[in-house]
Amino acid sequence: MSTFSNADTGSKPADPYKAANKEDNLPASQKIEALDKFASSCKFGMMTTRDASTGKLVSRCMAVAAKEHGGVDQLFFTNTESKKTDELVNDPHVNVSFLDSSGQWASISGTSSIETDRSEIKKYYQPTLKAWLGDLGDGVHDGSENDPRIGIIRVKVVTATYSISDKTFVGFVAEVAKGTVTGQPASVNKLREISENEIQSWRASH
């Protein structure tokens, strides 16, 4: 695998911000529960897929419809006739990212499947979906739970990286100001990574 470097910092960390903010020694349960809480607070995420015809990445705003297995499976409603379902059939790998107004963020890598089983649709159906699909007036494509255009994209999380903070705005500004003056990296976030093994163990027990 190719790598990129434009500097030689010797024994000193080339990315001191990451070194100062990364939390490594946390139990998986704490990391996953915090991620789930943050994603729930955002509600909307950006789902990134790959366009098979061009190879380009495409992102769309999606609302989380439901979660399974303690938050490591995320479900999103979709129109099965939209282009993103074609993209997912060709390449099921996705990224779902979340961002809030304070700069906290999460990046989730996963694999997707498209579910059309009506029992699954009815389990999570929301009447507001009709506003997005419309009623075509043919008695079938009416935006109801029986509309065959309504499907679910199930994203099984593989790995995740996220950054959250418990600092107040004043505390954040003070830490950044101190770093600006001293040259020490600002310790303002909790930067966490969740491995594939941690996700798999959590899913098996939930």
PDB file of all heavy atoms in Angstrom, residues 172-187:
ATOM      1  N   PHE A 172     -13.304  25.197  25.345  1.00  0.00           N
ATOM      2  CA  PHE A 172     -12.722  24.901  24.038  1.00  0.00           C
ATOM      3  C   PHE A 172     -11.853  26.066  23.570  1.00  0.00           C
ATOM      4  O   PHE A 172     -10.708  25.880  23.148  1.00  0.00           O
ATOM      5  CB  PHE A 172     -13.846  24.631  23.033  1.00  0.00           C
ATOM      6  CG  PHE A 172     -13.383  24.335  21.639  1.00  0.00           C
ATOM      7  CD1 PHE A 172     -13.124  23.038  21.230  1.00  0.00           C
ATOM      8  CD2 PHE A 172     -13.195  25.370  20.719  1.00  0.00           C
ATOM      9  CE1 PHE A 172     -12.686  22.769  19.942  1.00  0.00           C
ATOM     10  CE2 PHE A 172     -12.764  25.105  19.427  1.00  0.00           C
ATOM     11  CZ  PHE A 172     -12.506  23.800  19.042  1.00  0.00           C
ATOM     12  N   VAL A 173     -12.409  27.265  23.654  1.00  0.00           N
ATOM     13  CA  VAL A 173     -11.674  28.455  23.214  1.00  0.00           C
ATOM     14  C   VAL A 173     -10.405  28.639  24.039  1.00  0.00           C
ATOM     15  O   VAL A 173      -9.330  28.965  23.505  1.00  0.00           O
ATOM     16  CB  VAL A 173     -12.569  29.703  23.311  1.00  0.00           C
ATOM     17  CG1 VAL A 173     -11.752  30.971  23.059  1.00  0.00           C
ATOM     18  CG2 VAL A 173     -13.718  29.623  22.307  1.00  0.00           C
ATOM     19  N   ALA A 174     -10.506  28.411  25.349  1.00  0.00           N
ATOM     20  CA  ALA A 174      -9.343  28.575  26.219  1.00  0.00           C
ATOM     21  C   ALA A 174      -8.242  27.581  25.867  1.00  0.00           C
ATOM     22  O   ALA A 174      -7.050  27.927  25.862  1.00  0.00           O
ATOM     23  CB  ALA A 174      -9.768  28.404  27.681  1.00  0.00           C
ATOM     24  N   GLU A 175      -8.629  26.343  25.558  1.00  0.00           N
ATOM     25  CA  GLU A 175      -7.643  25.322  25.221  1.00  0.00           C
ATOM     26  C   GLU A 175      -6.958  25.639  23.896  1.00  0.00           C
ATOM     27  O   GLU A 175      -5.738  25.460  23.750  1.00  0.00           O
ATOM     28  CB  GLU A 175      -8.331  23.955  25.148  1.00  0.00           C
ATOM     29  CG  GLU A 175      -7.403  22.783  24.960  1.00  0.00           C
ATOM     30  CD  GLU A 175      -6.496  22.512  26.146  1.00  0.00           C
ATOM     31  OE1 GLU A 175      -6.821  22.979  27.262  1.00  0.00           O
ATOM     32  OE2 GLU A 175      -5.459  21.846  25.946  1.00  0.00           O
ATOM     33  N   VAL A 176      -7.716  26.120  22.933  1.00  0.00           N
ATOM     34  CA  VAL A 176      -7.140  26.493  21.644  1.00  0.00           C
ATOM     35  C   VAL A 176      -6.205  27.688  21.804  1.00  0.00           C
ATOM     36  O   VAL A 176      -5.112  27.734  21.212  1.00  0.00           O
ATOM     37  CB  VAL A 176      -8.252  26.800  20.620  1.00  0.00           C
ATOM     38  CG1 VAL A 176      -7.661  27.383  19.334  1.00  0.00           C
ATOM     39  CG2 VAL A 176      -9.042  25.540  20.300  1.00  0.00           C
ATOM     40  N   ALA A 177      -6.624  28.661  22.611  1.00  0.00           N
ATOM     41  CA  ALA A 177      -5.790  29.844  22.851  1.00  0.00           C
ATOM     42  C   ALA A 177      -4.477  29.445  23.520  1.00  0.00           C
ATOM     43  O   ALA A 177      -3.398  29.941  23.157  1.00  0.00           O
ATOM     44  CB  ALA A 177      -6.546  30.851  23.712  1.00  0.00           C
ATOM     45  N   LYS A 178      -4.545  28.528  24.481  1.00  0.00           N
ATOM     46  CA  LYS A 178      -3.336  28.068  25.153  1.00  0.00           C
ATOM     47  C   LYS A 178      -2.398  27.384  24.162  1.00  0.00           C
ATOM     48  O   LYS A 178      -1.179  27.605  24.178  1.00  0.00           O
ATOM     49  CB  LYS A 178      -3.700  27.107  26.276  1.00  0.00           C
ATOM     50  CG  LYS A 178      -2.492  26.614  27.079  1.00  0.00           C
ATOM     51  CD  LYS A 178      -2.922  25.682  28.208  1.00  0.00           C
ATOM     52  CE  LYS A 178      -3.304  24.312  27.677  1.00  0.00           C
ATOM     53  NZ  LYS A 178      -3.578  23.337  28.766  1.00  0.00           N
ATOM     54  N   GLY A 179      -2.971  26.550  23.290  1.00  0.00           N
ATOM     55  CA  GLY A 179      -2.157  25.870  22.289  1.00  0.00           C
ATOM     56  C   GLY A 179      -1.508  26.836  21.318  1.00  0.00           C
ATOM     57  O   GLY A 179      -0.376  26.632  20.870  1.00  0.00           O
ATOM     58  N   THR A 180      -2.233  27.904  20.981  1.00  0.00           N
ATOM     59  CA  THR A 180      -1.699  28.908  20.061  1.00  0.00           C
ATOM     60  C   THR A 180      -0.484  29.600  20.662  1.00  0.00           C
ATOM     61  O   THR A 180       0.506  29.884  19.967  1.00  0.00           O
ATOM     62  CB  THR A 180      -2.783  29.946  19.725  1.00  0.00           C
ATOM     63  OG1 THR A 180      -3.912  29.281  19.147  1.00  0.00           O
ATOM     64  CG2 THR A 180      -2.263  30.982  18.749  1.00  0.00           C
ATOM     65  N   VAL A 181      -0.543  29.864  21.958  1.00  0.00           N
ATOM     66  CA  VAL A 181       0.536  30.570  22.644  1.00  0.00           C
ATOM     67  C   VAL A 181       1.718  29.643  22.931  1.00  0.00           C
ATOM     68  O   VAL A 181       2.881  30.010  22.724  1.00  0.00           O
ATOM     69  CB  VAL A 181       0.023  31.203  23.955  1.00  0.00           C
ATOM     70  CG1 VAL A 181       1.193  31.780  24.768  1.00  0.00           C
ATOM     71  CG2 VAL A 181      -0.997  32.286  23.659  1.00  0.00           C
ATOM     72  N   THR A 182       1.428  28.440  23.398  1.00  0.00           N
ATOM     73  CA  THR A 182       2.498  27.535  23.864  1.00  0.00           C
ATOM     74  C   THR A 182       3.036  26.601  22.796  1.00  0.00           C
ATOM     75  O   THR A 182       4.122  26.049  22.938  1.00  0.00           O
ATOM     76  CB  THR A 182       1.988  26.680  25.028  1.00  0.00           C
ATOM     77  OG1 THR A 182       0.948  25.795  24.549  1.00  0.00           O
ATOM     78  CG2 THR A 182       1.446  27.546  26.148  1.00  0.00           C
ATOM     79  N   GLY A 183       2.252  26.376  21.732  1.00  0.00           N
ATOM     80  CA  GLY A 183       2.660  25.415  20.723  1.00  0.00           C
ATOM     81  C   GLY A 183       2.314  23.988  21.087  1.00  0.00           C
ATOM     82  O   GLY A 183       2.645  23.048  20.357  1.00  0.00           O
ATOM     83  N   GLN A 184       1.639  23.810  22.220  1.00  0.00           N
ATOM     84  CA  GLN A 184       1.195  22.487  22.627  1.00  0.00           C
ATOM     85  C   GLN A 184      -0.139  22.167  21.946  1.00  0.00           C
ATOM     86  O   GLN A 184      -1.001  23.040  21.830  1.00  0.00           O
ATOM     87  CB  GLN A 184       1.024  22.416  24.147  1.00  0.00           C
ATOM     88  CG  GLN A 184       2.312  22.613  24.916  1.00  0.00           C
ATOM     89  CD  GLN A 184       3.328  21.529  24.605  1.00  0.00           C
ATOM     90  OE1 GLN A 184       3.016  20.343  24.611  1.00  0.00           O
ATOM     91  NE2 GLN A 184       4.560  21.955  24.302  1.00  0.00           N
ATOM     92  N   PRO A 185      -0.331  20.929  21.486  1.00  0.00           N
ATOM     93  CA  PRO A 185      -1.593  20.587  20.811  1.00  0.00           C
ATOM     94  C   PRO A 185      -2.783  20.745  21.748  1.00  0.00           C
ATOM     95  O   PRO A 185      -2.721  20.395  22.931  1.00  0.00           O
ATOM     96  CB  PRO A 185      -1.398  19.131  20.401  1.00  0.00           C
ATOM     97  CG  PRO A 185      -0.347  18.610  21.329  1.00  0.00           C
ATOM     98  CD  PRO A 185       0.566  19.771  21.599  1.00  0.00           C
ATOM     99  N   ALA A 186      -3.864  21.289  21.219  1.00  0.00           N
ATOM    100  CA  ALA A 186      -5.076  21.501  22.012  1.00  0.00           C
ATOM    101  C   ALA A 186      -5.739  20.164  22.332  1.00  0.00           C
ATOM    102  O   ALA A 186      -6.009  19.363  21.433  1.00  0.00           O
ATOM    103  CB  ALA A 186      -6.045  22.398  21.256  1.00  0.00           C
ATOM    104  N   SER A 187      -5.999  19.932  23.605  1.00  0.00           N
ATOM    105  CA  SER A 187      -6.702  18.714  24.027  1.00  0.00           C
ATOM    106  C   SER A 187      -8.165  19.069  24.217  1.00  0.00           C
ATOM    107  O   SER A 187      -8.589  19.485  25.302  1.00  0.00           O
ATOM    108  CB  SER A 187      -6.092  18.179  25.328  1.00  0.00           C
ATOM    109  OG  SER A 187      -6.769  17.019  25.753  1.00  0.00           O
TER     110      SER A 187
END
